[in-house]
């Protein structure tokens, strides 16, 4: 058993999550509110360490009124997370998923600060195993908020159930700009993750597309 995973991003029309310099201010105010409404409904929000290092997000619900914040999960094989990262503040519980390679001293420091550290995997976090562990902790729904490398890991392992994307009317270009799903990519169309469109609508200047992942 695993939690139900919703992948959400804001991207440019050419599928980029940020420009080549890492500028990721893509969402309009209406979209931020949409995302915070999803955050308020799920048990947890998950990001990769790349996103924490680049954007230093709080990953809380602060654009709308909500009773509680979801648990924040950071996927970080080597515990590269800075101790002053905003995702470690006391606004919500934080879980860091790491590996046997992680520095034990840093792990101790994080635990002392009330952060839960889950060790699963040798070099890279074993995402399938992580999903099982999180489910057993009572986490039934996760909003996956990227970035492109973690998105690939989750799609490749077949762990995503639903997709919602906000497409801003912008073109970023740049072969090194992070895209919605990076990693090695599937080799054939046959292997690709297939989706079924459920809903689409205009939001601000952009559009929102919602899909379910077909198995
Ligand atoms: N527009 C949007 O909606 C949006 C949303 C999120 C992020 N972003 C942008 O995306 C960029 C960050 O994306 P990113 O691709 O560089 O980083 P990322 O996906 O946030 O994090 C990737 C890192 O996660 C760690 N990881 C551990 N186990 C993994 C596994 N099994 N599979 C995949 N990753 C694993 C790896 O680092 P270790 O090996 O050190 O563990 C990997 O490099 C930023 O520019 C951010 O602004 C945009």
């Amino acid at each position: 058993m695993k939690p139900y995973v919703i992948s959400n991003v804001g991207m440019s029309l050419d599928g980029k999550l940020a420009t080549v310099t890492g500028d990721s201010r893509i969402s309009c105010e209406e979209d931020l509110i949409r995302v915070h409404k999803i955050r308020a409904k799920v048990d947890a929000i998950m990001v990769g360490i790349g996103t924490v290092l680049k954007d230093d997000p709080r990953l809380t619900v602060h654009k709308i009124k909500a009773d509680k914040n979801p648990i924040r999960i950071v996927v970080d094989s080597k515990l590269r997370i800075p101790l002053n990262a905003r995702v470690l503040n006391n606004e919500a519980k934080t879980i860091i998923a790491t590996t046997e390679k992680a520095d034990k001293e840093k792990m101790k420091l994080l635990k002392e600060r009330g952060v839960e550290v889950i060790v699963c995997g040798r070099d890279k976090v074993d995402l399938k195993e992580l999903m099982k562990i999180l489910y057993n902790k009572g986490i039934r729904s996760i909003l996956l908020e990227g970035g492109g490398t973690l998105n690939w890991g989750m799609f490749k392992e077949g762990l995503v159930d639903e997709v919602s994307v906000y497409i801003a009317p912008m073109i970023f270009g740049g072969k090194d700009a992070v895209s919605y799903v990076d990693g090695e990519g599937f080799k054939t169309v046959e292997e690709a993750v297939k989706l079924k469109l459920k809903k689409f609508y205009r939001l601000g200047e952009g559009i929102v597309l919602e899909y379910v992942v077909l198995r």
Side-chain angles (χ1 to χ4, degrees):
M1 298 293 267
K2 71 163 203 72
Y4 188 82
V5 177
I6 305 166
S7 159
N8 184 82
V9 289
M11 65 187 191
S12 60
L13 182 59
D14 51 332
K16 309 293 188 189
L17 300 190
T19 65
V20 273
T21 62
D23 189 351
S24 62
R25 292 164 298 168
I26 297 172
S27 289
C28 57
E29 191 60 23
E30 293 95 323
D31 188 49
L32 292 173
I33 291 168
R34 178 188 69 86
V35 174
H36 282 236
K37 281 182 183 162
I38 310 176
R39 284 184 180 181
K41 281 190 208 153
V42 293
D43 294 331
I45 305 173
M46 186 164 96
V47 296
I49 183 62
T51 297
V52 171
L53 294 175
K54 196 84 195 173
D55 298 347
D56 194 19
R58 282 152 69 191
L59 300 181
T60 55
V61 185
H62 51 268
K63 292 278 176 191
I64 58 163
K65 274 215 165 94
D67 302 336
K68 60 163 187 59
N69 280 311
I71 296 171
R72 302 171 293 193
I73 302 164
V74 181
V75 178
D76 180 9
S77 312
K78 302 185 273 290
L79 287 185
R80 290 191 283 153
I81 192 161
L83 289 171
N84 62 354
R86 298 203 302 169
V87 76
L88 300 180
N89 69 17
N90 57 15
E91 287 181 275
K93 180 184 165 73
T94 304
I95 295 177
I96 300 186
T98 193
T99 63
E100 293 157 18
K101 284 266 164 73
D103 182 81
K104 301 288 174 293
E105 248 336 278
K106 180 96 175 254
M107 204 181 291
K108 194 166 155 256
L109 280 174
L110 286 162
K111 285 181 180 171
E112 278 167 10
R113 291 194 34 177
V115 175
E116 183 172 346
V117 181
I118 296 175
V119 178
C120 67
R122 278 218 190 130
D123 299 317
K124 286 269 166 229
V125 173
D126 181 335
L127 296 171
K128 267 193 177 157
E129 187 59 28
L130 175 64
M131 289 300 118
K132 276 189 215 156
I133 296 170
L134 294 173
Y135 186 88
N136 290 335
K137 287 187 180 293
I139 295 175
R140 296 289 182 267
S141 54
I142 296 177
L143 178 62
L144 170 64
E145 291 203 44
T149 308
L150 180 61
N151 289 344
W152 163 250
M154 291 292 286
F155 275 110
K156 183 187 65 173
E157 298 290 354
L159 297 170
V160 180
D161 300 286
E162 204 177 299
V163 164
S164 69
V165 295
Y166 169 77
I167 303 180
M170 307 172 184
I171 304 274
F172 289 171
K175 65 177 168 49
D176 295 328
V178 58
S179 60
Y180 176 24
V181 184
D182 282 326
E184 305 104 66
F186 296 110
K187 292 189 177 55
T188 62
V189 171
E190 204 179 353
E191 289 170 86
V193 173
K194 310 293 189 312
L195 310 169
K196 185 175 170 60
L197 184 64
K198 285 286 174 191
K199 195 174 164 185
F200 59 97
Y201 56 96
R202 262 190 108 115
L203 186 66
E205 293 296 309
I207 57 168
V208 174
L209 301 172
E210 294 177 4
Y211 300 86
V212 287
V213 176
L214 299 175
R215 304 258 181 249

